[in-house]
Amino acid sequence: MKLDLIDRIKSIRYALKYANDPITGMMENFEKYGETYSGYLGAIQPMMVTKNPEIVRHVLQKNHRNYIKTPMIFDKLRRFLGNGLLTSEGSYWLQQRRLIQPGFHRQRLEALVEIMDRVIIDSEKQLAGKEEMEIDIYPMMMRLAFDMVSRSLFSTAIEEKKLDFLSNSLTTLQSFLVQQIRQPYLNPWFRISGQLQEKLKLSQAADDILLDIISQRRASQEEHHDLLQMLLESRYEETGEGMTDQQLLDESNIIITAGHETSANALSWIFYLLAQHPLEVEKLRTELETVLGDRRPNFADLRQLPYTTQVIEEGMRLYPPAWITDRQSVADDEINGVHIPKGTMVVLMIYALHHDPQHWSDPAAFRPERFAPEAKKKLPPYTYLPFGGGPRLCIGNNFAMMEMQLVLAHYIRKYDFSLVQDQAVEMLPLVTLRPKKGIQLSLRKIA
Ligand code: HEM
């Protein structure tokens, strides 16, 4: 992988051309150069981009010890989010993962179904009681998913106004972060112009709100069934101690950030797909009706909704919220004859894996039956990775599946929906895969 000045210059041209459309750029490169190609990110960072499942597996699982989350990205993320599960490395990460993982075990999540269901019922307020309406489903799902994860963390301990502030500041901080990563040559300007300091202040204000909740909860005698309580009560095996306030803050920040935009994107795209597939909606309704009748779903019901699960899985295949992930090699490495020098950023292109005709017939078609139990067993390893893979697999995967099932079970039974005509729905791949200008749906109440 020998790269020179011309490649660096090319990489700036490429960054400018594809700043808002990296998926097209990368798919074109795969066509030109094959499953794996090399280049630079923003002229500075050597990188290798791949959609080869064996290389992806090697990096995420088989030789994961040789790969860390790319410092150029994660150092910045850490600055805003702190050092928690998503951003930490090595023995600290392992210690935190061991501590927190049991709280996200499927069975432990049962206690959250009630909170989630309440949030879903409340989310209908955004429809202002209308029988028929046109609505952009994306901001609605963003708010719903944000409330879902923050109420699962803090139940009623946080006021609506503060939730608004947190939600807005996270959006601002994230778009700033994306700019810093995609166009690293702007970083000196961000410092000089005071933009960096301004964003750090915003991040501090959001932290103060969370620290306040944490200290109130420590002082409280009440019993709570939420994730904060789980985090507060968890104890390190070696010392029997719990986490400090700073650790609780970092992990809460991470859970909120990692846990809302991803689900909101998945849900928005699933509604978009369903709005164009009435037969699949009918199948969903039949399943929901058979299992639930008029009841609201409980925890046990969620296992009885295989078709609903397949729809979600197929939605995340076509529009993976985490469309890309990356690591950096700690030492030289080699896999299938591909040399990966130390310090290379390895970009794992999940979107391309999910759309590769080598693994999926007619990859652009929406076909939930791809994930029927027998078909699912036959999927080659590391070709479907909505939640990542290896030891750093998403810790919230069961949480996310549960919340998405509950949201679909509610809205599919209560509303008919179709796409508003004459809109161009496009992807905007930032940290997660968003719809660029939202998704306008016509909703009509049926129950
Ligand atoms: C549809 C929804 C979701 C998707 C598609 C998703 C996707 C992912 C992916 C791909 C990773 C691994 C990233 C990597 O290896 O580089 C990840 C990690 C993570 N996710 Fe999720 N996620 C979702 C929902 C959630 C939820 C609801 C939570 C929390 C409530 C959550 C918390 C986390 C955390 C803490 C990590 C870091 C785990 C670690 O490194 O140990 N995610 N997620």
Side-chain angles (χ1 to χ4, degrees), residues 410-443:
H410 180 83
Y411 279 100
I412 298 289
R413 286 193 294 167
K414 283 194 105 174
Y415 292 88
D416 264 331
F417 52 97
S418 57
L419 271 186
V420 171
Q421 294 300 302
D422 298 327
Q423 59 171 324
V425 175
E426 287 169 50
M427 296 183 288
L428 178 63
L430 296 175
V431 176
T432 63
L433 186 59
R434 298 183 186 180
K436 194 176 202 166
K437 299 177 206 136
I439 299 171
Q440 303 292 332
L441 293 185
S442 302
L443 296 192

Short mmCIF file of all heavy atoms in Angstrom, two decimals, residues 410-443:
data_model
loop_
_atom_site.label_atom_id
_atom_site.label_comp_id
_atom_site.label_asym_id
_atom_site.label_seq_id
_atom_site.Cartn_x
_atom_site.Cartn_y
_atom_site.Cartn_z
N HIS A 410 -47.48 -0.56 17.70
CA HIS A 410 -48.41 0.54 18.00
C HIS A 410 -48.90 1.20 16.72
O HIS A 410 -50.09 1.26 16.45
CB HIS A 410 -47.73 1.57 18.90
CG HIS A 410 -48.61 2.72 19.26
ND1 HIS A 410 -49.51 2.66 20.29
CD2 HIS A 410 -48.75 3.94 18.70
CE1 HIS A 410 -50.16 3.82 20.37
NE2 HIS A 410 -49.72 4.62 19.41
N TYR A 411 -47.95 1.71 15.93
CA TYR A 411 -48.34 2.58 14.81
C TYR A 411 -48.95 1.80 13.64
O TYR A 411 -49.84 2.30 12.97
CB TYR A 411 -47.16 3.45 14.36
CG TYR A 411 -47.03 4.66 15.28
CD1 TYR A 411 -46.09 4.69 16.31
CD2 TYR A 411 -47.89 5.74 15.14
CE1 TYR A 411 -46.01 5.78 17.16
CE2 TYR A 411 -47.81 6.83 15.99
CZ TYR A 411 -46.87 6.85 17.00
OH TYR A 411 -46.80 7.92 17.85
N ILE A 412 -48.50 0.58 13.42
CA ILE A 412 -49.05 -0.20 12.30
C ILE A 412 -50.52 -0.54 12.57
O ILE A 412 -51.34 -0.57 11.67
CB ILE A 412 -48.24 -1.50 12.09
CG1 ILE A 412 -46.80 -1.19 11.72
CG2 ILE A 412 -48.89 -2.41 11.05
CD1 ILE A 412 -46.60 -0.61 10.36
N ARG A 413 -50.82 -0.80 13.85
CA ARG A 413 -52.21 -1.15 14.14
C ARG A 413 -53.12 0.06 14.13
O ARG A 413 -54.30 -0.03 13.89
CB ARG A 413 -52.28 -1.84 15.51
CG ARG A 413 -51.74 -3.26 15.45
CD ARG A 413 -52.09 -4.03 16.68
NE ARG A 413 -51.43 -3.50 17.88
CZ ARG A 413 -51.75 -3.85 19.12
NH1 ARG A 413 -52.74 -4.69 19.33
NH2 ARG A 413 -51.10 -3.36 20.14
N LYS A 414 -52.55 1.25 14.42
CA LYS A 414 -53.42 2.43 14.58
C LYS A 414 -53.54 3.30 13.35
O LYS A 414 -54.46 4.10 13.24
CB LYS A 414 -52.88 3.29 15.74
CG LYS A 414 -53.22 2.72 17.08
CD LYS A 414 -52.98 3.71 18.16
CE LYS A 414 -54.28 4.29 18.68
NZ LYS A 414 -54.09 5.16 19.83
N TYR A 415 -52.57 3.20 12.42
CA TYR A 415 -52.57 4.13 11.29
C TYR A 415 -52.35 3.42 9.97
O TYR A 415 -51.58 2.46 9.88
CB TYR A 415 -51.46 5.19 11.46
CG TYR A 415 -51.73 6.13 12.60
CD1 TYR A 415 -51.30 5.82 13.89
CD2 TYR A 415 -52.45 7.31 12.42
CE1 TYR A 415 -51.57 6.65 14.97
CE2 TYR A 415 -52.72 8.16 13.48
CZ TYR A 415 -52.28 7.82 14.76
OH TYR A 415 -52.55 8.65 15.81
N ASP A 416 -53.05 3.94 8.94
CA ASP A 416 -52.70 3.62 7.56
C ASP A 416 -51.70 4.66 7.12
O ASP A 416 -51.85 5.83 7.50
CB ASP A 416 -53.94 3.77 6.66
CG ASP A 416 -54.62 2.45 6.46
OD1 ASP A 416 -53.93 1.41 6.51
OD2 ASP A 416 -55.86 2.46 6.27
N PHE A 417 -50.73 4.28 6.34
CA PHE A 417 -49.80 5.33 5.91
C PHE A 417 -49.29 5.09 4.51
O PHE A 417 -49.21 3.96 4.03
CB PHE A 417 -48.65 5.47 6.91
CG PHE A 417 -47.95 4.20 7.22
CD1 PHE A 417 -46.79 3.86 6.58
CD2 PHE A 417 -48.47 3.33 8.16
CE1 PHE A 417 -46.16 2.67 6.85
CE2 PHE A 417 -47.85 2.13 8.44
CZ PHE A 417 -46.68 1.80 7.78
N SER A 418 -49.01 6.20 3.83
CA SER A 418 -48.47 6.12 2.47
C SER A 418 -47.47 7.26 2.30
O SER A 418 -47.47 8.22 3.09
CB SER A 418 -49.59 6.23 1.45
OG SER A 418 -50.28 7.44 1.66
N LEU A 419 -46.66 7.17 1.24
CA LEU A 419 -45.67 8.23 0.99
C LEU A 419 -46.35 9.44 0.38
O LEU A 419 -47.17 9.27 -0.52
CB LEU A 419 -44.63 7.74 -0.02
CG LEU A 419 -43.40 7.02 0.45
CD1 LEU A 419 -42.48 6.75 -0.73
CD2 LEU A 419 -42.67 7.83 1.51
N VAL A 420 -46.02 10.62 0.84
CA VAL A 420 -46.48 11.84 0.17
C VAL A 420 -45.80 11.87 -1.21
O VAL A 420 -44.59 11.60 -1.31
CB VAL A 420 -46.12 13.09 1.00
CG1 VAL A 420 -46.39 14.37 0.23
CG2 VAL A 420 -46.89 13.07 2.32
N GLN A 421 -46.60 12.16 -2.24
CA GLN A 421 -46.06 12.13 -3.61
C GLN A 421 -45.03 13.23 -3.84
O GLN A 421 -44.98 14.20 -3.09
CB GLN A 421 -47.20 12.31 -4.63
CG GLN A 421 -48.20 11.16 -4.62
CD GLN A 421 -47.55 9.83 -4.97
OE1 GLN A 421 -46.97 9.69 -6.04
NE2 GLN A 421 -47.65 8.85 -4.08
N ASP A 422 -44.28 13.11 -4.90
CA ASP A 422 -43.34 14.13 -5.37
C ASP A 422 -42.33 14.57 -4.33
O ASP A 422 -42.12 15.77 -4.12
CB ASP A 422 -44.10 15.39 -5.87
CG ASP A 422 -44.99 15.05 -7.05
OD1 ASP A 422 -44.59 14.16 -7.82
OD2 ASP A 422 -46.07 15.65 -7.16
N GLN A 423 -41.77 13.65 -3.61
CA GLN A 423 -40.66 14.01 -2.73
C GLN A 423 -39.47 13.12 -3.10
O GLN A 423 -39.65 11.96 -3.47
CB GLN A 423 -41.02 13.81 -1.25
CG GLN A 423 -41.42 12.41 -0.89
CD GLN A 423 -41.57 12.20 0.61
OE1 GLN A 423 -40.83 12.76 1.41
NE2 GLN A 423 -42.54 11.38 0.98
N ALA A 424 -38.29 13.70 -3.01
CA ALA A 424 -37.10 12.91 -3.28
C ALA A 424 -36.53 12.48 -1.93
O ALA A 424 -36.00 13.29 -1.19
CB ALA A 424 -36.09 13.76 -4.04
N VAL A 425 -36.70 11.20 -1.61
CA VAL A 425 -36.13 10.71 -0.36
C VAL A 425 -34.70 10.25 -0.64
O VAL A 425 -34.47 9.40 -1.48
CB VAL A 425 -36.98 9.55 0.22
CG1 VAL A 425 -36.32 8.96 1.45
CG2 VAL A 425 -38.38 10.04 0.54
N GLU A 426 -33.76 10.87 0.08
CA GLU A 426 -32.35 10.55 -0.17
C GLU A 426 -31.65 10.23 1.14
O GLU A 426 -32.09 10.67 2.20
CB GLU A 426 -31.64 11.76 -0.79
CG GLU A 426 -32.01 12.04 -2.23
CD GLU A 426 -31.46 13.39 -2.65
OE1 GLU A 426 -30.27 13.63 -2.42
OE2 GLU A 426 -32.25 14.19 -3.18
N MET A 427 -30.52 9.52 1.00
CA MET A 427 -29.76 9.19 2.21
C MET A 427 -28.75 10.29 2.53
O MET A 427 -28.17 10.88 1.63
CB MET A 427 -28.98 7.89 2.00
CG MET A 427 -29.85 6.69 1.77
SD MET A 427 -28.86 5.19 1.60
CE MET A 427 -28.12 5.39 0.01
N LEU A 428 -28.55 10.52 3.83
CA LEU A 428 -27.50 11.42 4.27
C LEU A 428 -26.63 10.66 5.28
O LEU A 428 -26.98 10.53 6.45
CB LEU A 428 -28.10 12.67 4.93
CG LEU A 428 -27.10 13.69 5.48
CD1 LEU A 428 -26.23 14.26 4.37
CD2 LEU A 428 -27.82 14.82 6.21
N PRO A 429 -25.53 10.08 4.79
CA PRO A 429 -24.73 9.26 5.69
C PRO A 429 -23.78 10.10 6.53
O PRO A 429 -22.72 10.47 6.08
CB PRO A 429 -23.94 8.34 4.74
CG PRO A 429 -24.25 8.81 3.35
CD PRO A 429 -24.96 10.10 3.43
N LEU A 430 -24.19 10.42 7.74
CA LEU A 430 -23.28 11.10 8.67
C LEU A 430 -22.71 10.01 9.58
O LEU A 430 -22.23 9.02 9.07
CB LEU A 430 -24.06 12.17 9.44
CG LEU A 430 -24.63 13.31 8.58
CD1 LEU A 430 -25.47 14.24 9.40
CD2 LEU A 430 -23.53 14.08 7.89
N VAL A 431 -22.74 10.22 10.89
CA VAL A 431 -22.30 9.12 11.75
C VAL A 431 -23.25 7.94 11.54
O VAL A 431 -22.88 6.78 11.48
CB VAL A 431 -22.28 9.55 13.23
CG1 VAL A 431 -21.92 8.36 14.12
CG2 VAL A 431 -21.30 10.68 13.43
N THR A 432 -24.54 8.28 11.42
CA THR A 432 -25.53 7.24 11.09
C THR A 432 -26.19 7.61 9.76
O THR A 432 -26.01 8.71 9.26
CB THR A 432 -26.61 7.14 12.19
OG1 THR A 432 -27.29 8.38 12.23
CG2 THR A 432 -26.01 6.81 13.54
N LEU A 433 -26.95 6.66 9.24
CA LEU A 433 -27.55 6.84 7.92
C LEU A 433 -28.94 7.48 8.04
O LEU A 433 -29.92 6.80 8.35
CB LEU A 433 -27.66 5.47 7.24
CG LEU A 433 -28.12 5.45 5.80
CD1 LEU A 433 -27.19 6.27 4.91
CD2 LEU A 433 -28.19 4.02 5.30
N ARG A 434 -28.99 8.79 7.81
CA ARG A 434 -30.26 9.51 7.96
C ARG A 434 -30.94 9.75 6.62
O ARG A 434 -30.27 9.78 5.60
CB ARG A 434 -30.00 10.92 8.47
CG ARG A 434 -29.36 11.04 9.76
CD ARG A 434 -29.28 12.52 10.05
NE ARG A 434 -28.53 12.76 11.25
CZ ARG A 434 -28.31 13.97 11.74
NH1 ARG A 434 -28.75 15.03 11.10
NH2 ARG A 434 -27.63 14.12 12.85
N PRO A 435 -32.25 10.02 6.65
CA PRO A 435 -32.86 10.55 5.42
C PRO A 435 -32.52 12.04 5.29
O PRO A 435 -32.68 12.79 6.27
CB PRO A 435 -34.36 10.34 5.66
CG PRO A 435 -34.53 10.10 7.12
CD PRO A 435 -33.21 9.78 7.73
N LYS A 436 -32.04 12.44 4.12
CA LYS A 436 -31.49 13.79 3.95
C LYS A 436 -32.50 14.89 4.22
O LYS A 436 -32.23 15.84 4.95
CB LYS A 436 -30.98 13.91 2.52
CG LYS A 436 -30.11 15.09 2.26
CD LYS A 436 -29.62 14.98 0.82
CE LYS A 436 -28.37 15.76 0.58
NZ LYS A 436 -27.76 15.37 -0.69
N LYS A 437 -33.69 14.76 3.59
CA LYS A 437 -34.69 15.81 3.80
C LYS A 437 -35.91 15.25 4.51
O LYS A 437 -37.02 15.69 4.26
CB LYS A 437 -35.10 16.39 2.44
CG LYS A 437 -33.94 17.03 1.70
CD LYS A 437 -34.40 17.52 0.34
CE LYS A 437 -33.24 17.57 -0.63
NZ LYS A 437 -33.56 17.04 -1.95
N GLY A 438 -35.68 14.27 5.33
CA GLY A 438 -36.79 13.66 6.04
C GLY A 438 -37.59 12.74 5.13
O GLY A 438 -37.23 12.50 3.98
N ILE A 439 -38.70 12.22 5.68
CA ILE A 439 -39.58 11.33 4.91
C ILE A 439 -41.02 11.75 5.22
O ILE A 439 -41.48 11.60 6.35
CB ILE A 439 -39.37 9.85 5.32
CG1 ILE A 439 -37.92 9.42 5.02
CG2 ILE A 439 -40.36 8.95 4.60
CD1 ILE A 439 -37.55 8.05 5.57
N GLN A 440 -41.68 12.31 4.23
CA GLN A 440 -43.05 12.79 4.43
C GLN A 440 -44.03 11.63 4.23
O GLN A 440 -44.06 11.03 3.16
CB GLN A 440 -43.39 13.91 3.43
CG GLN A 440 -42.46 15.10 3.47
CD GLN A 440 -42.59 15.90 4.76
OE1 GLN A 440 -43.65 15.91 5.39
NE2 GLN A 440 -41.52 16.55 5.16
N LEU A 441 -44.82 11.37 5.28
CA LEU A 441 -45.84 10.32 5.16
C LEU A 441 -47.23 10.92 5.37
O LEU A 441 -47.39 11.87 6.13
CB LEU A 441 -45.63 9.26 6.24
CG LEU A 441 -44.39 8.37 6.19
CD1 LEU A 441 -44.48 7.31 7.29
CD2 LEU A 441 -44.24 7.68 4.84
N SER A 442 -48.21 10.34 4.66
CA SER A 442 -49.61 10.67 4.99
C SER A 442 -50.10 9.62 5.96
O SER A 442 -50.00 8.42 5.67
CB SER A 442 -50.50 10.58 3.75
OG SER A 442 -50.04 11.43 2.76
N LEU A 443 -50.62 10.06 7.09
CA LEU A 443 -51.13 9.11 8.08
C LEU A 443 -52.65 9.26 8.18
O LEU A 443 -53.17 10.38 8.11
CB LEU A 443 -50.55 9.39 9.47
CG LEU A 443 -49.05 9.24 9.71
CD1 LEU A 443 -48.77 9.28 11.21
CD2 LEU A 443 -48.53 7.94 9.15
#
